[in-house]
Amino acid sequence: MTSVTCLAEDVPTTDYYSFYASPISSATLYVPNGCKAAYEAAAIQQNYNSIIFEVAAGSGTITIDAKTNGTHVLNVQIGKAKPSQITRSTRGTADVTYSVTVPTYIYLYASTASANAVQTRAISANSVLLYSYKVTPGTTGIQNVSMDNPVNVYDMRGILVRTKVTTLNGLAKGIYIVNGRKVIVE
C-alpha cells in the first residue's frame, strides 16, 4: 500500500485493526481540500509516513512541531521545489515560509539527509515524530490600490459598476477590478 485517499470531510474513526497487516506506515494520506486542520488534530494521521495538503495562492508560513531521530530529517516540499529539511534532536517548532501563485500541494515526509526518492519510501515511521503542523496564510495576492486620480470600477465579470471615483466607499463587500488590479472591499 503506497497511498490512502480519504474523501470524507469529517475524519472517520479508525482503530488499530482498520489497517491490520497493511504497510500503512509507508503510505501517504491524501485528504480533501480545506479539511487539513481536522485531520491534523486526529490520531489517524499518526499512522502515515507522509502528509500532503493544499494551500491557496498567496504566501504564508507553515509551523511544524517535530523531533527527528538519528540522521533523519523532516522534508517540507512546496510543489515541485526542492524540499526544506528540518532536523531537531529535541521536540520544537520550525517555520517554513511559502509564496505560490496558484493553489499548491505541500508535502511533509521523512528521509535521511542524503536519501533519494527510492530510499525515502523505505524510512521507518519512527524516524520523525511529527506532533503538529499549522498553516498561517499571509497575503492572498489581492491588494488595495491607491486612487489619487478618478478611476472606473468593474465587478469580477467585467461589468462597469462605478465611473470616475476616488473612493470605494458605498460598494458592497467583494472583489472588484480597479486599474486592472483586483481590489477587495471589506
Side-chain angles (χ1 to χ4, degrees):
M1 177 183 310
T2 59
S3 68
V4 174
T5 300
C6 187
L7 301 176
E9 291 184 8
D10 294 325
V11 181
T13 302
T14 61
D15 62 19
Y16 174 78
Y17 296 104
S18 297
F19 295 97
Y20 183 73
S22 296
I24 196 142
S25 65
S26 62
T28 299
L29 174 62
Y30 293 89
V31 301
N33 189 23
C35 298
K36 176 192 71 70
Y39 277 83
E40 75 181 16
I44 190 170
Q45 77 159 15
Q46 296 171 4
N47 296 323
Y48 296 91
N49 194 33
S50 60
I51 297 171
I52 299 173
F53 56 92
E54 187 177 46
V55 294
S59 62
T61 303
I62 305 164
T63 302
I64 298 166
D65 183 6
K67 175 182 182 273
T68 58
N69 295 318
T71 61
H72 296 100
V73 296
L74 175 63
N75 295 282
V76 182
Q77 183 175 341
I78 301 164
K80 295 180 180 180
K82 182 179 178 182
S84 298
Q85 294 186 330
I86 297 171
T87 304
R88 299 203 52 89
S89 60
T90 60
R91 181 180 175 177
T93 60
D95 289 337
V96 176
T97 59
Y98 67 90
S99 181
V100 295
T101 57
V102 296
T104 302
Y105 285 108
I106 306 294
Y107 305 87
L108 305 178
Y109 59 93
S111 72
T112 59
S114 60
N116 62 34
V118 173
Q119 291 169 321
T120 299
R121 292 186 190 97
I123 298 299
S124 153
N126 293 324
S127 59
V128 172
L129 300 173
L130 178 62
Y131 298 100
S132 68
Y133 59 97
K134 176 183 177 185
V135 177
T136 306
T139 61
T140 61
I142 300 173
Q143 303 173 4
N144 291 320
V145 294
S146 173
M147 295 186 298
D148 296 331
N149 298 317
V151 296
N152 291 334
V153 179
Y154 299 86
D155 67 13
M156 291 302 292
R157 297 170 293 169
I159 297 172
L160 180 65
V161 293
R162 295 270 173 93
T163 58
K164 298 183 181 181
V165 298
T166 57
T167 179
L168 299 179
N169 292 343
L171 285 173
K173 290 182 181 182
I175 302 172
Y176 296 90
I177 309 271
V178 178
N179 285 339
R181 297 179 76 185
K182 293 178 186 172
V183 177
I184 190 166
V185 174
E186 300 180 305

